[in-house]
Structure formats: structure tokens, C-alpha cells
Amino acid sequence: MNDTDLLEEIVNLARRAGDKILTIYAKDFNVEYKDDKSPVTDADLAANDVITAGLKSLTPDLPILSEESAEISWQERQTWQRYWLVDPIDGTKEFIKKNGEFTVNIALIENGEPVMGVVHAPALNVSYFAANSIGAFKECDEARIELKVTRKDNQGTIQVVGSRSHPSPDLAEYLTQFDDVNMVPKGSSLKLCLVAESAADVYPRLGPTSEWDTGAGHAVAKIAGATVTQLDGSPLLYNQKESYLNPYFVVSRLN
């Protein structure tokens, strides 16, 4: 299967998972808490089943790492050169609040870098998707546009997108480098996508995230032309260590 066909299949798979999520979103649902106190709902588990079954059918030889099935040893994972990275619902807290800002994230990782990604926001009816060999796109109400980041000088008012549910005490210090800042709160991986569509200038993530939170949005932002780096300017990479936690990072369209 070529990349164009595979990307379309993954977009459709994310939307099928999104449809399953919305059937649960529309009614009362069960919320439980993991050992790290993060919430998980019936919808996370149902979407995970849809996505993993679909990926196994499409690419039976590729391993899958999902937030809901993350008990895979580092000894096994470190042999992976190419694998799927999945978050069935990124922004579970936004899902529970019913504010619509949650996403289905599916990314293809090759040699530590995201080369394909789909971010689908079912309650907003919007999808972002990208592949290295094709480009980055946004689709809303069946209208599809290509995303190409326009670079911006570090002057004037800087649109900074930040977490709606995870404010960071380190953020205020980071923002002192700018003369004027407008904060744009947003949930889930939609923050990376806002930079990808040049609706925000920078997304500094100075708080904890896991690799499945960022892989798909990272692909969209990077392929659209944004930079995605650690604070020291080095690339944000995946599956390089036993822990799933990302270092702090910045997504930017600033020169």
C-alpha cells in the first residue's frame, strides 16, 4: 500500500473510532482512574479496540504502542524501527468536561521520528493529517486544505497556545522573551495543530506529556513546516528510552 492510500485508511480509521467515541460521549459514561491518577473512560477503551483492530488488519507486521496497552517491555520496544503510536482519546479531561477539545491520535514512527500522523477531533468534526511524502492537511465539513506554515518574525503580539487543563509554572518565565503575548487555551493535541495551520505562533510545552500525546500532532506540525524541538533545540524523538515521558518541547513557526 502506498503512503497516500495508507494515510487515507488511517484517517478513516480515526473517524470510525471517533464515531464510536461520540456514541458514548452523548450519554453517561464510566470514569476510572489509573495508578498515575489519569482518567480513563469507556470511550478510551472502545476507541482503542477499533483502532488496534484496524491497524492490525492494515499492517499486520507493524507493532502498536497505545496508551491503553502500554505494558510492553523496553527490551522489546527498543528493537522497533517502525511502529504505530496511538492515543485513542487525547484530552480525556476535556472529554469528561464535554468541551469538545479531545482528539484521536494515530502516528507512524520510523527510527524515532513521526513520519505520518492523524489527529481527529470527533466532536468538532475536524481532522488534521500528514505524511512526509504527501504533505499536511486539514479537513472540516468535507473541505480539505493543505497546511503550509508561514514563518513569522519574533515581533509584535505572539499568539501562544497553551494547555487548558495543565497550566505550567515554568510557562511565565518562558514568555518573558516576548514583548507582547496573547494566550490561547486549547486542549489535547489540537495545540500542535493550531501552529500547523498558523493560527498560533508557538506552543511551549513545559509540563509532562507522554509520547502518545504528541506523536500524531508532531507529524502534522513538522510536515506543515513548523519546528518541533526540545528546549535545547535538539529534535523531539520517540522510543529512545524506557520511559514514555517526553522532555519539555516547543512547537513554533517563529523565525
Side-chain angles (χ1 to χ4, degrees):
M1 187 181 302
N2 62 42
D3 284 354
T4 299
D5 291 341
L6 181 59
L7 181 59
E8 291 291 346
E9 291 285 359
I10 300 304
V11 171
N12 290 334
L13 179 58
R15 289 172 177 165
R16 291 203 303 275
D19 291 343
K20 175 69 74 173
I21 290 166
L22 290 181
T23 63
I24 299 171
Y25 187 65
K27 53 190 179 185
D28 292 334
F29 48 81
N30 184 49
V31 181
E32 297 179 359
Y33 290 86
K34 304 176 190 177
D35 292 342
D36 64 359
K37 309 301 182 187
S38 62
V40 61
T41 71
D42 301 337
D44 294 84
L45 302 176
N48 189 66
D49 289 345
V50 170
I51 294 167
T52 53
L55 292 176
K56 287 177 181 177
S57 176
L58 285 168
T59 55
D61 295 333
L62 288 186
I64 302 167
L65 176 62
S66 169
E67 180 179 14
E68 307 311 331
S69 54
E71 302 82 12
I72 301 171
S73 72
W74 170 235
Q75 185 176 7
E76 178 181 349
R77 284 191 294 116
Q78 66 184 329
T79 67
W80 295 356
Q81 300 300 310
R82 192 167 185 253
Y83 69 99
W84 293 108
L85 181 61
V86 174
D87 192 348
I89 299 182
D90 180 34
T92 300
K93 291 183 179 179
E94 316 307 332
F95 178 86
I96 294 168
K97 294 174 188 175
K98 294 200 171 185
N99 68 13
E101 293 181 3
F102 57 89
T103 58
V104 177
N105 293 352
I106 306 174
L108 180 62
I109 309 297
E110 286 187 2
N111 300 314
E113 297 187 5
V115 298
M116 180 180 292
V118 175
V119 175
H120 174 57
L124 305 178
N125 190 31
V126 60
S127 303
Y128 299 86
F129 45 95
N132 271 353
S133 59
I134 303 166
F137 303 88
K138 175 185 180 181
E139 189 166 304
C140 183
D141 297 326
E142 299 185 358
R144 180 177 298 193
I145 60 169
E146 186 169 6
L147 301 178
K148 290 188 176 180
V149 164
T150 53
R151 306 299 296 185
K152 177 179 175 178
D153 290 335
N154 185 358
Q155 297 175 350
T157 301
I158 304 300
Q159 304 290 332
V160 179
V161 63
S163 175
R164 192 180 291 282
S165 294
H166 302 279
S168 166
D170 294 323
L171 183 58
E173 181 180 353
Y174 176 86
L175 296 179
T176 59
Q177 65 185 287
F178 304 122
D179 293 332
D180 186 33
V181 165
N182 180 47
M183 287 298 301
V184 183
K186 188 67 69 173
S188 72
S189 55
L190 291 169
K191 295 184 286 293
L192 293 98
C193 295
L194 282 188
V195 181
E197 62 178 317
S198 301
D201 300 324
V202 62
Y203 165 38
R205 183 58 188 223
L206 309 181
T209 56
S210 295
E211 293 184 357
W212 44 72
D213 296 322
T214 59
H218 182 167
V220 172
K222 179 190 71 170
I223 294 167
T227 56
V228 184
T229 62
Q230 299 182 49
L231 296 187
D232 64 2
S234 61
L236 180 64
L237 299 174
Y238 295 79
N239 199 39
Q240 303 297 299
K241 59 189 187 309
E242 185 170 4
S243 171
Y244 296 121
L245 288 177
N246 288 317
Y248 289 177
F249 63 88
V250 177
V251 184
S252 176
R253 71 183 189 106
L254 298 175
N255 290 320

